[in-house]
Every structure is written in C-alpha cells, then in structure tokens.
Amino acid sequence: MEMRLNAASIWLLILSYGAIIAQGERTRDKMYEPIGGASCFRRLNGTHQTGCSSTYSGSVGVLHLINVEADLEFLLTSPPSPPYAPLIPPHLFTRSNLMRLKEAGPKNISVVLLINRTNQMKQFSHELNCPNQYSGLNSSSETCDASNPAKNWNPWGTGLLHEDFPFPIYYIADLDQVNKLEKCFQDFNNHNYETHALRSLCAVEVKSFMSAAVNTEVCMRRTNFINNLGGSKYCDPLEGRNVYATLYPRKPAVENNLETVHTNEKFILVSCRLDTTTMFDGVGLGAMDSLMGFAVFTQVAYLLKQLLPQSSLSNPLHNVLFVTFNGESYDYIGSQRFVYDMEKLQFPTESTGTPPIAFDNIDFMLDIGTLDDISNIKLHALTGTPLAQKILEHLNNYAKSPRYSFNLNIQSEMSAHLPPTSAQSFLRRDPKFQALILNARPTNKYYHSIYDDADNVDFTYANTSKDFTQLTEVNDFKSLKADSLQMKVRNVSSIVAMALYQTLTGKEYTGTKVANPLMADEFLYCFLQSADCPLFKAASYPGSQLTNLPPMRYISVLGGSQESSGYTYRMLGYLLSQLQPDIPKDNCTDLPLHYFAGFNNVGECRLTTQNYSHALSPAFLIDGYDWSSGMYSTWTESTWSQFSARIFLRPSNVHQVTTLSVGIVVLIISFCLVYIISSRSEVLFEDLPASNAALFG
C-alpha cells in the first residue's frame, strides 16, 4: 500500500511539473514574438576584427523608428530609457549615421535593425572604395586612389563591411515582419517620449554572440590551444574550393614520375571570380559584382568547346585552362593559393594523374573581371606588350564587325591602374607575367551588398524551354531587345571566344555561330532565382532533387556551405565534356567519366576535365607565418552558436524596481516566518503518542 502511495505521489509530481513547464512555454510564447532575418557577423584578419556581435546572453534595445536623419538626434542626446534599437531603412544606413551610433556606444545603442524599405534607396555598398587594396600588385594610389572617385573601383563604397561594431546589426527582409516591428513601435513607443522610463516599451532582443576577438593571430592561437585540450574552436579560416577545367583532356603523367612538368604543354589561362560577399549571413547574390563576369566566362568556355575541336589545332599540346577563383573578395584567397601551388608544382594534385602545370606552361592569362557597363569595356594590362595589342585587335575585329552587329568598341588601358581581380595575385609574384584583364567602368552602386540582385542587373527570365545547349546563328533571337541582359552576355561572350579562337588557330573566325542567349538566361536564373533549373538539372545526376533557392556564393569555412562550388563543378564538367555514347551507365562511375542527366534528362556518359583545387590561404599552411606581413590573406570567421531575434514588452524601470523590492520584502518575511516556526517547532508540532504513531506509521 505504501509503495502504491509513493508511486502515485511521484506520478502526481511528474504531471504537475509537466503542466508547469507547458504553462511556462505558453506564457513565453505570449511574451515573445520571433523575428526572422539575417545577422551581421564577425570576421578577422591579421590586424583587426570586423563585423558585429551581441552580448553573450543577447542584446536588448527599445525600438525606435528612423524615418529621417533628424530622428537619430533623439537617440544620441540623452534618450530617456536607453538602450535603444533603431530601425533604419537602407537610404539612412550610411557610414556617417552608423559611425555616430557606434560612437554613442552600447550604453545608448544596443541593437541596430536594418529594415527592407527601399523606396528611397539610391545606393548601398559597404565595401571599400579600393577593394583588396593592400593585397594586390601594390597598395599605392596608382592602382586605386580611394580619395578620387574617378580613380577608384567602388566610388559608392562606405567601408562599413570592414568596421567593427559594438552591437549586433540585424537585417529584416520580410515586409510582414517589418510591419510587425513598426506597429509595435507605434502602439507602445511613439508617444509621450518623456515618460518612456515610466512605462512598458516595445523592445527587441538579438542573439548573435561571436566567440572570436582581436585578430586572426590571437584567435588561431586560442583555438589551437583549446583544441589541444579537446575543446571547441573560436574561429575558422575562410576556406573553399576553386573549380577548374581544361578545354581538352590532358595526357596522363608518366608512371612513377608524377612531378615532372611537360614543358611543351601550353595553356591560355581564362579566369573569373566565383564568390561574393555582404555584411549579413546567408544573404547576397552578387549579381553585378561577379556573376556577370562568371556568366561570360561560362559562355566563352562552352562556345570554344563547340567551335574548336582539338583536331583543328596546329599544335595538339595547346589547351585552355578555365579557372573560377573562390574567396577573391577577401584578399584573393583562391588565386593566392593557386599561385602558391603552381610555384611548388602542386597544381593539379597528384590524385588527378596529370603532370603539374608551371608558370612556364602559361602563354598568358585573360581574367574576366566585373562587367557593370557592357558598353564601356576595357582591356587592362600592367604594361603595353605586343601580346596585349594583338588580343585587343582580335577583340575589336569581332566587336566592330558588321557581320555580327555587336557594335562594341573595346578600349585599352596599359597602366598600374588595374581592377581588383585575380590577375593581381599573379602580377604580384611577377610583374612581367602576361596578364590581361577584361573589365568595365564601375557603375554598380550595390557592390558587395544584399541588394546586388536580379533587379540590379534588370534580369527577366525568358523561360523558353528551348535547348540552350545548341549554338545559334548570329541573326537568331532578333525578338530579344539588344540591351537585354541575355543579349549583352551573348555578345561579349562571342567576342571573347572568337578572339581566343583566332589566337589558338592563327586564323580569323568566319563562321556565323555565336553564343546562345538562352544559356545566359538559364545560367542567370540558376544563380539568381532557383537552383532547381534546367541547366543545373542537366549537369546533375538523373533524378537529383535540387533546392528552389539560388546557391550562396560566399566562400564560407571548412564544413560550411560550398554549394556554389559544387554546382560550378558539375556545370563546367557538363559543358566542357565529350559525349561517350558507347559507355553504359554502370561503367560510367569513375572520373574522368561522369554520368549526367543531360538536357533531355535521359542520362548520358561523358568524358570530363573538371576538378577542384584548394582555396585556403597559404598563411594557414606556413609555420610561423607573420600575420601582419600582408603577404597572404589572413581572413577568418568567428564561430557562433545561434542567430535569433524576438520582440517583447520591456517593463519600465519603475516596474522592475517595484518587482525587485516586493521580492526582497517577501524574501525577508519568508526568512522571518521560517525562523519563528523553527524556534517554536516544539509548541507547534507536538510529538504524537506512541499508539497514534503506530496507527499512522
């Protein structure tokens, strides 16, 4: 009987505890309203930390809507109930305003919320005026003059991406969430400002605590020390993968002699940037800053593959090496590692079974940079050379030809005023390296920002369902506007591919086939709107399930998202491959053979040439590296546990003091009662007679 009573008591306690927990969760759900968004986070280099972090337990601030710049004065001049969390639209999210909030410090400003109200926005770039200024060929004003908009590469840059803020910055894109925040502010905060300290106010709590601090050297030292004791990391190096492919398959290395360079093998290196970046985690498409160049790069590769079979070359050892460099937004991580590996004869890796490629194997490099303004393209080189003049003549031969009606004029600039592209890593090693850069005049007012999207490049998906893998006649697609994005990519891609065709063969291209604008259409749709697209499906295994979100192109860290590299790997593999109709699916399993769905999604075996190379700065490979030397990129990313935001009613200071006071009084009374009861326990709790004790025992 006693055991049953005890068991019943235990079950009653468990049920009561569960009911209390459930009630507590319901109460919490009523108190807090989650807000979805993206957070600014912390990155570090050899000398500084940049970005944002909340306090360990989360930063709390009272909402205050900023409609005009004058509204900031309320927050910066003795606000009545600090700290506050200003809601700032993009047109007021300027360097001067953010620096004023930073100077006010966490005492007055604890959170900044960027709300997606873009009706007055005219520019929004938080990169430096001179991106990667201290990691290129040189840091002098000859390459880029930050004080002169005509001589820098990002005239609209604010540099906020490289500032360190003592509070979290949270971006809310969903307009329903923005409306919720504004309504909460209007209902509870936007009246009787002088009584803010006396009543409950609508507030936000943001959790985005960053583990890393100071700089990369300190963070890596702490991480390595903790790891030796079996703990967790504080930061990780920015790390990803470059993707490369050759126009033609290479001959395998001689067995037992994998480190010997084939000196008679020659390459034209064609490159572009794969990545982009913004202030906020997981947001940013880089439509104009790098995707336009990437689109042209892809079309050039495919057009050359279709126009130029290897048998048409006078020298069968001539080839084209196509490389997309990852991490270029952060001091040229991918290209620095590529140069480092080539110097050590470690590219490609021995696992590919092909001989290493040395700098002597490279005839010249053509780096496709940013193509903001298609009508103002220039061919850049450090110095004027016969090669540069010859390539410029080839380009303009097709750009101005009435046969193709491209109607472009490609100009040249031979000076140290070079765009911030991957070629700078090669020229930094050797200023005499034959590097040419195809770049446009900067017009992108949203460079490295969350608003460099499909709207910024005026992209409209044609969605024709036609075969984009077929080349087209020059007179096809006359129904498309000449200034449509797809036609712009078609024109520039065709010009570059034809110039390379003439360089490789020594003969002028006289055909009528040009790049297909539908491939540009599908490419841009995949990277700007949805990865569940015809081009990615064709380049994947049959039946693959693809996400309906575009791939993120931020380099990330080891173990982070590398989906853009994966899609690029498969796409280049598919577009530069050779169909193998006689090889069945079961035998098409090991590289260089790869089984693709193909345009018709029926499956096909192809001989491919694509592969990965490491995009990790050499700084993390060299023992005793001097982190402040500036030789290599030193960027790392802080670790964090979670990102979250929620709004609630923050009680007034008077209410909190009253609650605390009542609690203290209750505590004192409780102690007094316990003392009185304990001191008089013999009177209050008399011992029971033995007979009664037996009954109740």
Side-chain angles (χ1 to χ4, degrees):
M1 182 68 179
E2 181 178 356
M3 293 180 61
R4 292 179 181 178
L5 287 173
N6 289 338
S9 300
I10 292 171
W11 278 109
L12 182 61
L13 287 171
I14 292 174
L15 292 174
S16 300
Y17 179 76
I20 292 171
I21 294 295
Q23 183 64 34
E25 291 178 350
R26 286 195 294 269
T27 302
R28 183 192 62 192
D29 293 339
K30 292 177 181 178
M31 290 173 58
Y32 296 100
E33 187 77 25
I35 298 295
S39 181
C40 169
F41 58 99
R42 178 168 291 163
R43 284 173 281 236
L44 309 95
N45 61 22
T47 55
H48 297 83
Q49 67 179 29
T50 68
C52 318
S53 175
S54 72
T55 61
Y56 182 77
S57 57
S59 298
V60 175
V62 175
L63 294 180
H64 188 75
L65 181 62
I66 307 298
N67 289 312
V68 294
E69 198 162 326
D71 291 338
L72 287 172
E73 300 304 322
F74 170 79
L75 302 178
L76 301 174
T77 55
S78 302
S81 186
Y84 281 83
L87 292 90
I88 304 179
H91 70 281
L92 295 175
F93 196 85
T94 62
R95 180 175 182 84
S96 59
N97 288 341
L98 266 291
M99 297 310 288
R100 291 177 70 195
L101 294 175
K102 178 180 177 179
E103 290 170 5
K107 181 180 179 181
N108 286 348
I109 306 298
S110 58
V111 179
V112 170
L113 300 177
L114 173 62
I115 56 176
N116 190 27
R117 298 285 191 201
T118 60
N119 51 311
Q120 298 184 58
M121 180 178 65
K122 292 183 170 42
Q123 61 190 59
F124 197 84
S125 173
H126 302 310
E127 184 55 89
L128 299 169
N129 295 121
C130 295
N132 292 345
Q133 182 175 9
Y134 301 104
S135 54
L137 176 63
N138 60 62
S139 58
S140 70
S141 59
E142 292 181 359
T143 301
C144 181
D145 186 355
S147 63
N148 183 357
K151 289 291 186 178
N152 67 51
W153 297 103
N154 185 28
W156 301 275
T158 64
L160 291 177
L161 186 61
H162 297 267
E163 289 289 339
D164 179 42
F165 294 97
F167 43 69
I169 301 177
Y170 202 74
Y171 169 59
I172 299 104
D174 190 325
L175 291 179
D176 290 336
Q177 302 273 29
V178 173
N179 292 333
K180 184 189 300 182
L181 289 167
E182 292 180 348
K183 184 177 186 303
C184 194
F185 164 75
Q186 297 292 349
D187 291 346
F188 296 98
N189 300 4
N190 194 27
H191 58 88
N192 299 330
Y193 286 97
E194 64 277 3
T195 64
H196 266 197
L198 303 178
R199 69 176 195 268
S200 296
L201 299 172
C202 185
V204 65
E205 178 193 64
V206 173
K207 291 184 177 180
S208 60
F209 177 71
M210 299 288 131
S211 304
V214 185
N215 56 41
T216 289
E217 180 180 9
V218 171
C219 181
M220 293 302 293
R221 184 169 65 241
R222 292 178 65 203
T223 293
N224 293 334
F225 174 74
I226 293 296
N227 278 348
N228 289 337
L229 299 179
S232 59
K233 292 183 178 181
Y234 287 100
C235 64
D236 295 290
L238 294 188
E239 181 177 357
R241 297 179 292 190
N242 302 323
V243 181
Y244 69 91
T246 53
L247 186 61
Y248 310 116
R250 298 180 65 205
K251 292 184 177 180
V254 178
E255 191 175 354
N256 300 323
N257 196 12
L258 297 177
E259 297 181 358
T260 300
V261 176
H262 292 184
T263 55
N264 55 351
E265 191 177 20
K266 297 297 180 182
F267 295 89
I268 296 174
L269 172 59
V270 180
S271 62
C272 74
R273 175 159 67 106
L274 176 61
D275 66 300
T276 187
T277 189
T278 70
M279 282 184 70
F280 302 97
D281 179 53
V283 185
L285 298 172
M288 190 177 289
D289 78 52
S290 60
L291 194 61
M292 286 291 289
F294 187 14
V296 169
F297 167 92
T298 303
Q299 291 267 68
V300 168
Y302 187 65
L303 184 55
L304 274 180
K305 183 67 178 178
Q306 299 302 308
L307 295 180
L308 198 58
Q310 191 170 14
S311 58
S312 64
L313 297 181
S314 58
N315 184 350
L317 292 178
H318 275 185
N319 209 333
V320 182
L321 175 62
F322 296 97
V323 185
T324 61
F325 291 117
N326 204 351
E328 299 301 274
S329 305
Y330 289 93
D331 294 333
Y332 308 118
I333 292 173
S335 56
Q336 283 186 354
R337 178 59 184 272
F338 190 85
V339 169
Y340 178 84
D341 287 344
M342 284 187 68
E343 286 181 321
K344 294 184 173 296
L345 300 182
Q346 294 176 353
F347 173 82
T349 59
E350 291 186 3
S351 61
T352 64
T354 55
I357 298 175
F359 282 96
D360 290 340
N361 293 117
I362 307 296
D363 280 341
F364 69 92
M365 175 184 192
L366 180 61
D367 194 14
I368 303 173
T370 58
L371 301 177
D372 301 353
D373 185 355
I374 216 77
S375 61
N376 282 282
I377 294 179
K378 283 185 178 181
L379 185 69
H380 293 263
L382 184 58
T383 57
T385 62
L387 171 69
Q389 188 60 39
K390 182 179 75 170
I391 297 300
L392 181 65
E393 289 175 0
H394 290 347
L395 290 169
N396 276 319
N397 179 40
Y398 302 105
K400 299 176 181 179
S401 171
R403 179 189 297 126
Y404 303 110
S405 300
F406 296 139
N407 299 323
L408 291 177
N409 179 25
I410 298 176
Q411 301 176 359
S412 64
E413 183 172 344
M414 309 299 168
S415 71
H417 183 231
L418 295 173
T421 70
S422 306
Q424 296 223 20
S425 295
F426 293 79
L427 291 169
R428 192 179 193 184
R429 171 191 173 270
D430 180 9
K432 296 181 180 180
F433 181 78
Q434 295 276 21
L436 307 175
I437 304 171
L438 205 61
N439 208 82
R441 179 176 62 89
T443 61
N444 185 6
K445 298 181 180 181
Y446 304 95
Y447 184 82
H448 281 178
S449 89
I450 53 180
Y451 293 112
D452 190 6
D453 54 16
D455 292 336
N456 190 36
V457 293
D458 195 24
F459 171 65
T460 302
Y461 183 39
N463 193 20
T464 64
S465 300
K466 294 181 180 178
D467 188 354
F468 52 84
T469 64
Q470 300 296 317
L471 299 185
T472 62
E473 294 292 330
V474 66
N475 293 321
D476 286 351
F477 301 100
K478 286 295 185 182
S479 58
L480 290 175
K481 293 182 179 179
D483 61 348
S484 69
L485 188 62
Q486 294 90 329
M487 291 297 287
K488 289 178 181 179
V489 172
R490 183 205 80 153
N491 293 347
V492 177
S493 305
S494 300
I495 292 167
V496 175
M498 292 172 184
L500 292 175
Y501 175 99
Q502 186 169 350
T503 303
L504 285 164
T505 63
K507 301 175 183 178
E508 181 179 355
Y509 176 71
T510 57
T512 58
K513 296 288 187 181
V514 296
N516 191 339
L518 293 185
M519 179 171 287
D521 187 55
E522 297 298 346
F523 175 94
L524 293 167
Y525 176 73
C526 292
F527 279 100
L528 291 176
Q529 295 184 3
S530 173
D532 189 13
C533 58
L535 177 57
F536 284 176
K537 285 182 177 179
S540 299
Y541 192 81
S544 297
Q545 298 298 314
L546 306 179
T547 176
N548 60 0
L549 297 174
M552 293 309 303
R553 294 193 298 122
Y554 172 62
I555 182 175
S556 193
V557 297
L558 181 64
S561 173
Q562 299 290 337
E563 56 185 358
S564 62
S565 298
Y567 284 123
T568 302
Y569 173 89
R570 293 189 288 272
M571 181 181 66
L572 281 184
Y574 175 65
L575 296 178
L576 291 175
S577 59
Q578 297 176 5
L579 183 64
Q580 306 293 306
D582 298 329
I583 299 180
K585 175 181 177 181
D586 292 341
N587 294 339
C588 190
T589 55
D590 297 324
L591 289 177
L593 296 177
H594 197 106
Y595 199 74
F596 296 98
F599 174 74
N600 296 316
N601 200 33
V602 296
E604 52 194 36
C605 185
R606 288 180 169 269
L607 179 66
T608 65
T609 64
Q610 89 284 5
N611 219 314
Y612 293 115
S613 72
H614 290 282
L616 171 67
S617 172
F620 299 98
L621 306 176
I622 300 172
D623 291 335
Y625 178 75
D626 180 0
W627 296 101
S628 61
S629 67
M631 177 62 68
Y632 294 115
S633 174
T634 55
W635 285 99
T636 54
E637 179 185 292
S638 174
T639 59
W640 63 80
S641 58
Q642 64 172 334
F643 286 151
S644 67
R646 56 186 183 177
I647 57 173
F648 64 100
L649 282 183
R650 193 195 76 176
S652 67
N653 292 335
V654 173
H655 184 277
Q656 294 183 66
V657 170
T658 302
T659 303
L660 178 62
S661 301
V662 170
I664 292 174
V665 170
V666 171
L667 179 64
I668 294 173
I669 293 173
S670 300
F671 274 120
C672 293
L673 287 175
V674 170
Y675 174 76
I676 293 171
I677 293 172
S678 298
S679 63
R680 297 178 178 272
S681 60
E682 295 180 355
V683 177
L684 295 173
F685 306 105
E686 295 181 359
D687 291 337
L688 293 173
S691 57
N692 290 338
L695 285 174
F696 292 100

